[in-house]
Amino acid sequence: MPGGPRADAVAGVTAVAHPNIALVKYWGKRDERLILPWTDSLSMTLDVFPTTTRVRLDATAGRDEVTLDGVPATGEAARRVGAFLELVRERARLPWRAVVDSRNTVPTGAGLASSASGFAALAVAAAAAYGLDLDAGGLSRLARRGSGSASRSVFGGFAVWHAGSPGATGAAADAGSYAEPVPAAGGLDPALVVAVVDAGPKTVSSREAMRRTVDTSPLYRPWAASSRADLAAMRAALGRGDLEAVGEIAERNALGMHATMLAARPAVRYLSPATVTVLDRVLQLRREGVAAYATMDAGPNVKVLCRRADARRVAAAVGEAVPAARVLVAGPGPGARLLDGTGR
């Protein structure tokens, strides 16, 4: 329920959130307005590439002012943020416009979940500024309306995003689709080696690629059915701390998702020659006895799941395979949160 703007909302409220990488993928929406997926998904929030977003309310402004990485937002980015703020205002029953300043450290539009961290941070900051009293589940539902994967970045570590009931509509459908934490055994100690082989924007947006895949790929529905089984197996593997099983499930789920795109009409191909080189090197690492498993989102960049103790070796191997790649090591990261006046 709305409770009125925070006392410091005119001065500004700041939140930070981190991207997440899905180990069981979300691909395809059954409702584009509410951003409801066809399948559940499961992810790991990272401890790298945070987005920091400040929201300040202005009772005298006639429009929102949105700045992304120091540049005024335009086009689709401005439209999405504006629509999201309108949703927050509607729920808060407060007409004040907002001044938004968002700073990304993750390459935008390259399949590295920049929208997840961005809208999770915006949801937390805007909800606080406008005085919405939301629990973690409510923040997850709100973040979902900006970007589906943002629902998971509200939480740290591993999280599952529930698709909800396909037969539900309206408020019931909205209420049924949210993320929540997934417990993992304490000895899992995973790392994710991120290989950025191309930080440029994608030639086909995720939104268009999803539509095309769902509408035209003969492989989409079989993959969606197998993804439900993958999710159950993934939750069990996390619970028992079985990193090899986690990796095997993540890799087959990601490769299956990209297969659905390749079978779309016309095909959507995000995999580049450098992507395939990294995939081949990961397979070779396994032959050498290293538990390393690849996953990819909507882009050419590869993330390699491994044990933290093996992360340096995996990063070196990937860097040698593709010298032009930017390679870094991430671990499980925190959930989205408000920052105090000192930036903590």
Side-chain angles (χ1 to χ4, degrees):
M1 293 294 292
R6 277 174 54 131
D8 56 355
V10 174
V13 179
T14 303
V16 64
H18 289 73
N20 68 78
I21 297 300
L23 303 180
V24 175
K25 302 296 185 185
Y26 140 61
W27 194 247
K29 303 182 185 78
R30 71 177 195 272
D31 185 317
E32 294 208 6
R33 185 181 70 84
L34 293 176
I35 310 187
L36 301 175
W38 281 110
T39 64
D40 297 349
S41 57
L42 188 149
S43 66
M44 185 175 89
T45 298
L46 306 184
D47 58 1
V48 296
F49 293 145
T51 296
T52 303
T53 299
R54 187 172 185 81
V55 175
R56 177 172 62 84
L57 302 191
D58 187 343
T60 65
R63 61 180 179 85
D64 296 314
E65 180 182 321
V66 181
T67 302
L68 303 178
D69 296 326
V71 179
T74 59
E76 180 65 8
R79 186 202 67 76
R80 289 179 68 186
V81 174
F84 186 83
L85 291 171
E86 201 59 49
L87 175 66
V88 175
R89 278 190 287 269
E90 178 184 325
R91 295 186 178 185
R93 301 173 194 161
L94 187 69
W96 294 2
R97 297 291 174 170
V99 178
V100 177
D101 181 20
S102 187
R103 305 281 171 161
N104 246 340
T105 58
V106 56
T108 300
L112 288 167
S114 59
S115 63
S117 56
F119 275 101
L122 179 60
V124 172
Y130 280 94
L132 293 180
D133 183 18
L134 299 177
D135 60 12
L139 286 170
S140 178
R141 291 182 183 92
L142 178 61
R144 189 199 77 232
R145 297 293 298 273
S147 169
S149 55
S151 65
R152 301 186 305 245
S153 278
V154 169
F155 301 97
F158 298 96
V160 60
W161 173 20
H162 300 289
S165 171
T169 59
D174 181 54
S177 185
Y178 60 93
E180 63 180 350
V182 171
L188 192 66
D189 201 23
L192 206 66
V193 175
V194 181
V196 184
V197 300
D198 186 349
K202 295 171 289 198
T203 55
V204 180
S205 71
S206 295
R207 182 170 297 182
E208 169 56 27
M210 284 186 194
R211 287 174 183 158
R212 193 185 305 175
T213 302
V214 172
D215 290 345
T216 71
S217 175
L219 300 184
Y220 181 75
R221 282 164 182 77
W223 173 80
S226 69
S227 195
R228 295 182 184 99
D230 284 344
L231 183 82
M234 178 67 78
R235 295 190 72 153
L238 288 170
R240 65 178 184 267
D242 188 343
L243 185 129
E244 286 86 352
V246 169
E248 288 173 2
I249 297 162
E251 187 170 283
R252 76 190 186 208
N253 188 266
L255 290 173
M257 182 186 78
H258 280 270
T260 69
M261 290 184 252
L262 290 170
R265 317 289 170 81
V268 177
R269 186 174 74 89
Y270 287 126
L271 309 186
S272 70
T275 306
V276 176
T277 298
V278 175
L279 294 177
D280 287 344
R281 189 64 186 93
V282 169
L283 183 59
Q284 182 60 37
L285 280 167
R286 288 210 294 275
R287 291 176 180 145
E288 296 167 3
V290 179
Y293 303 88
T295 185
M296 298 151 294
D297 293 295
N301 304 304
V302 184
K303 302 88 182 177
V304 186
L305 184 72
C306 62
R307 291 186 174 85
R308 194 181 296 268
D310 293 327
R312 185 174 296 181
R313 177 178 175 181
V314 172
V318 170
E320 289 169 4
V322 184
R326 178 187 177 192
V327 182
L328 63 143
V329 177
R337 66 194 188 279
L338 287 172
L339 299 179
D340 62 22
T342 66
R344 292 179 294 184

